[in-house]
Amino acid sequence: MDTLFTNIKELLQTRSASEVKVMGKSMRELPHIKNAFLRIRGENILDFGAMADLVIQKSDAVVDVTGKIILPSWCDSHSHVVYAGDRSQEFVDRLNGLSYEEIAANGGGILNSAQTLQNTSESALYEQSIQRVNELIKLGTGALEIKSGYGLSTEAELKMLRVIKTIREKSPLKVKATFLGAHAIPEKYKTNKSAYIDLIINTMLPEVHHQELADFIDVFCEKGYFSLEDTEQILEAATRYGLVPKIHVNQFNAFGGVGLGVKYKALSVDHLEVFNEEDLKVLKNSDTIPVALPGCSFFLGIPYTPARKLIDAGLPLAIASDMNPGSAPSGNMNFIVSLACIKMKMTPEEAINAATLNGAYAMDISKQYGSISKGKKANLIITKEMTSYHQIPYLYGNTPIHKVMLHGKFVDSYFI
Ligand code: NIG
Ligand code: FE
């Protein structure tokens, strides 16, 4: 099936497929073609260019998108979209004065979600999760990383990972799976954390590996959760099983998690609301990409990752939703792009680079996703009519989406 888009007002993020991430000053550039065409064959991008250079060829479908913009669909490299129930009561508790940390210390937070998930069947968990995923697709997300970490028992962690696998098989979205058994210390192990770490290393990890349920390993490296030593033990074991680290660090405290991630060749280090000079130095000499999660800062009222500091120092930056029931219930990447501009002072070009190509890099899929490049997958957002792509972050809270194409097919056809 060949589809030809014509009269595209602006075709964004046009690059050679060999560019796998953008960093520093280059993030200010968003290569684009005005009045463009784009030709799709099967799942892939076949060709693109200026309308003036369009050579007439037979196509199965010609779609005139006069006034509209086309860009790669969002690559959301950090989510916890598989969860059971919700935590809206904790949201209200926070509005009434309790802090996120206080709620967690009282058995709420991640442990609350774990209890609900353990009591939810695999099919119910899948049904709840796929509904969220379908909403995200309509909002323009075309690739999504999904973490376990609300199971916190071998059985429940494997259940979560199987649900992620089913989403990967059934959904048109590109999915990457991360094993986050080390998300919190379960109640049962409260006074014996090392026994839980043993369980992760000696029981969960071998099963996850054997059943091929994860691409990446994650640890919540934070005070009151997993220390540097705990994190190192888990990363050491997981990398022996071939799992690449993508870790939660520096959300509330900076104590060397970034350096540890770099030491274990983490693909990404995520959160970084608290960030120091030492962190900057180690990242500069690495291939690890920092990932900011502005939705979490917005929802919890905590500091934003200092994007300007990172980018101005020459680093790459990705932005992701962190969608989860406790600290970031929305997975709307259009809003994340707005927040990155409004709250982190990123330019529209930087924010779009961070949410497309760099997001893809943070999932190790940027050779196939994240830009308009010949041979890459045809995962596209076709916007409503707009004056320029600046309107994507400017019209915060609105959806810029007219249509979405994933792997060469309009998503409407998956939902009807
Ligand atoms: O990335 N920080 C750790 N994990 C999630 C929040 C988990 C929760 O509150 O359920 C995060 O913000
Ligand atoms: Fe997270």
Side-chain angles (χ1 to χ4, degrees):
M1 165 96 184
D2 273 17
T3 306
L4 173 67
F5 291 98
T6 58
N7 299 314
I8 306 165
K9 181 165 183 161
E10 293 172 340
L11 180 61
L12 302 187
Q13 193 61 305
T14 49
R15 293 180 184 272
S16 113
S18 60
E19 282 183 81
V20 291
K21 69 175 168 192
V22 223
M23 46 213 269
K25 275 200 181 69
S26 314
M27 285 189 70
R28 279 190 178 258
E29 285 153 33
L30 185 63
H32 61 276
I33 303 171
K34 287 192 187 274
N35 196 19
F37 75 89
L38 173 63
R39 200 185 286 281
I40 309 301
R41 174 159 298 165
E43 288 206 341
N44 300 319
I45 296 170
L46 183 67
D47 195 12
F48 58 88
M51 277 304 283
D53 299 328
L54 174 63
V55 178
I56 304 298
Q57 270 177 26
K58 228 177 100 53
S59 302
D60 300 304
V62 179
V63 187
D64 183 329
V65 291
T66 300
K68 301 181 174 74
I69 290 168
I70 294 187
L71 68 154
S73 58
W74 305 126
C75 297
D76 185 354
S77 67
H78 182 138
S79 94
H80 310 250
V81 71
V82 170
Y83 63 83
D86 81 354
R87 306 222 304 268
S88 49
Q89 183 54 50
E90 292 182 6
F91 167 59
V92 176
D93 292 344
R94 278 200 300 111
L95 299 179
N96 283 318
L98 282 183
S99 72
Y100 180 72
E101 290 94 326
E102 282 165 343
I103 290 168
N106 293 335
I110 297 167
L111 297 186
N112 180 359
S113 286
Q115 195 170 24
T116 314
L117 190 138
Q118 287 170 11
N119 296 326
T120 302
S121 71
E122 188 163 330
S123 59
L125 183 62
Y126 172 76
E127 284 310 323
Q128 292 181 30
S129 306
I130 195 73
Q131 277 186 32
R132 292 181 203 116
V133 167
N134 288 342
E135 284 307 312
L136 297 185
I137 292 174
K138 290 180 204 166
L139 289 165
T141 297
L144 182 67
E145 181 257 18
I146 311 176
K147 298 173 193 294
S148 72
Y150 289 124
L152 306 185
S153 70
T154 307
E155 193 194 330
E157 282 296 309
L158 293 174
K159 176 166 75 180
M160 279 191 87
L161 288 166
R162 283 194 303 271
V163 167
I164 298 172
K165 187 177 175 199
T166 309
I167 294 172
R168 177 163 61 199
E169 289 164 355
K170 294 200 174 166
S171 169
L173 191 75
K174 174 71 179 174
V175 171
K176 287 288 212 172
T178 300
F179 171 51
L180 175 56
H183 198 191
I185 325 289
E187 196 59 40
K188 197 167 131 191
Y189 293 91
K190 215 171 168 179
T191 55
N192 192 2
K193 184 168 64 168
S194 61
Y196 184 58
I197 295 173
D198 275 355
L199 183 75
I200 292 175
I201 292 177
N202 297 316
T203 307
M204 293 186 190
L205 260 176
E207 267 314 305
V208 170
H209 172 74
H210 178 67
Q211 298 185 34
E212 296 182 15
L213 289 172
D215 305 293
F216 305 118
I217 178 77
D218 193 350
V219 176
F220 186 17
C221 180
E222 184 55 66
K223 285 193 181 154
Y225 293 84
F226 295 88
S227 69
L228 273 187
E229 293 71 31
D230 303 335
T231 306
E232 176 146 30
Q233 256 186 285
I234 295 164
L235 296 189
E236 167 75 45
T239 47
R240 269 190 273 116
Y241 285 112
L243 296 182
V244 176
K246 273 174 71 62
I247 56 176
H248 283 74
V249 288
N250 294 34
Q251 183 175 7
F252 301 106
N253 298 281
F255 51 85
V258 174
L260 185 68
V262 169
K263 178 174 167 194
Y264 281 88
K265 298 198 170 17
L267 181 59
S268 72
V269 284
D270 302 31
H271 272 290
L272 312 172
E273 290 88 341
V274 186
F275 192 76
N276 61 33
E277 289 307 316
E278 188 53 36
D279 298 327
L280 190 68
K281 215 159 77 196
V282 283
L283 278 177
K284 269 192 137 179
N285 300 312
S286 79
D287 292 324
T288 301
I289 190 165
V291 179
L293 307 168
C296 172
S297 300
F298 173 77
F299 192 68
L300 292 187
I302 63 174
Y304 286 81
T305 304
R308 283 267 53 92
K309 189 172 174 173
L310 276 79
I311 297 172
D312 294 345
L315 292 175
L317 183 66
I319 52 174
S321 72
D322 195 17
M323 185 180 189
N324 75 75
S327 71
S330 169
N332 184 344
M333 284 296 286
N334 307 290
F335 182 57
I336 298 301
V337 168
S338 288
L339 275 181
C341 295
I342 298 162
K343 293 292 189 180
M344 296 176 10
K345 301 287 176 259
M346 290 169 70
T347 63
E349 294 77 13
E350 287 172 333
I352 293 172
N353 275 320
T356 55
L357 190 59
N358 283 359
Y361 180 87
M363 289 184 264
D364 197 21
I365 55 170
S366 63
K367 290 198 177 105
Q368 303 90 33
Y369 296 87
S371 64
I372 303 294
S373 311
K374 287 184 194 172
K376 277 199 180 181
K377 297 296 169 199
N379 273 19
L380 312 172
I381 290 172
I382 298 104
T383 71
K384 297 171 178 168
E385 289 191 19
M386 44 176 75
T387 53
S388 88
Y389 63 83
H390 295 165
Q391 284 198 319
I392 298 173
Y394 169 75
L395 293 172
Y396 75 91
N398 282 9
T399 175
I401 313 287
H402 168 61
K403 273 185 190 302
V404 170
M405 174 177 267
L406 292 184
H407 297 101
K409 290 188 185 160
F410 285 109
V411 294
D412 322 32
S413 58
Y414 289 95
F415 292 115
I416 298 167

